[in-house]
Structures are given as C-alpha cells and as structure tokens.
Amino acid sequence: MSTGVSTPIGIFLVTGAAGGNVPLFPGGWTPYPLTNGDASPITKGQVCYMSAADTARIAQSDGTEAQATAVCICIDDSVAPGDVGKFVFGGAVPDIAAGKTPITPGYLSATSGVIATAPNLAGGQYNVILGYWLNATDFQFNPQIPILN
C-alpha cells in the first residue's frame, strides 16, 4: 500500500493490492472494502492496520511496529472474520463513540483497536497519535507514524 499527494489541492490516494486507487478528501471520507483478517469480529470504531492484500487487522500499540501502524477505522457495526466490511483511511468519522471531550487527541491503545485518551508511554511499545475528537461522538482520523518508546 502506498499513499501520496496526487494534486496540488491535497487529494490523497491509497492504492490497494487489488490495484484500485481510492481518493481521500480532506474533511471527508470514502469507504473502502477490506477483509477482516482477524479471528474475531472487527466492530465500528476499531482502529486497524493492513496485514496483506486488502486485509485489515485490529491495531494495538503494544505489538509489533506493523500492528501499531494504524491506517483505517471500521465504520460497519461488525465485520465477521473473513468477511468484507467498510473502512475509512482518514477524515471525520461520525458516531464511533459517546461522551468524548471535544478537541482532545486520541492515541492508539494497548487494548486492541481502541482510541485511548492518553498515549502509551511504556518502554518498548509504540506511541501513535490517531487524530482528535471533534465532539462527543465524532473523530477526526489522521494517523501518524508509530514512535517507539
């Protein structure tokens, strides 16, 4: 998978293993179909990484660097193992939580797929800024590279 700026106005493209480019527009999102590569369901709001050809797995900050490289969020209620679901790679993601404090950052948690309110600062684990809460329920997803503590 590769990402890059495709035009001067900041439209980003994600190239999947199937070969298609998916445009990502700042301030919005385009759902992309990915297969759940985990042994358990991936649910709405869980943060994932790409493990293989168009395959998403649940991300976590206390695993490998690949597992901490969060790139997408599930927007389906639940995606069973081996099934295809909808994921977004950036932008404002509505209705994925409740009771969050607006304009506070979200970090990848050591708990699989969770957006935490504090960074994971444990030695030998990864600190990943995922974005920030727009309001109590909506998250602005803009994942950064994992930083090893």
Side-chain angles (χ1 to χ4, degrees), residues 3 10-14 22-32 45-47 70-75 87-96 104 106 115 129-135 137-144:
T3 60
I11 296 174
F12 294 87
L13 296 177
V14 173
V22 178
L24 302 176
F25 301 97
W29 47 266
T30 301
Y32 189 73
Q46 285 192 302
V47 180
V71 296
C72 58
I73 292 180
C74 180
I75 60 169
F87 296 79
V88 293
F89 287 82
V93 186
D95 300 321
I96 62 168
T104 58
I115 299 172
I129 300 169
L130 298 174
Y132 63 93
W133 292 99
L134 296 170
N135 54 44
T137 62
D138 304 339
F139 190 71
Q140 179 66 38
F141 187 55
N142 183 25
Q144 305 301 303

Side-chain angles (χ1 to χ4, degrees), residues 78-143:
S78 184
V79 181
D83 284 356
V84 175
K86 291 186 222 89
F87 296 79
V88 293
F89 287 82
V93 186
D95 300 321
I96 62 168
K100 299 297 181 178
T101 303
I103 316 302
T104 58
Y107 303 90
L108 183 61
S109 174
T111 303
S112 296
V114 172
I115 299 172
T117 57
N120 179 355
L121 299 177
Q125 296 183 15
Y126 292 91
N127 182 3
V128 184
I129 300 169
L130 298 174
Y132 63 93
W133 292 99
L134 296 170
N135 54 44
T137 62
D138 304 339
F139 190 71
Q140 179 66 38
F141 187 55
N142 183 25

Side-chain angles (χ1 to χ4, degrees), residues 42-57:
I42 298 174
T43 57
K44 187 174 186 175
Q46 285 192 302
V47 180
C48 297
Y49 69 98
M50 300 284 291
S51 66
D54 294 334
T55 302
R57 299 192 70 179

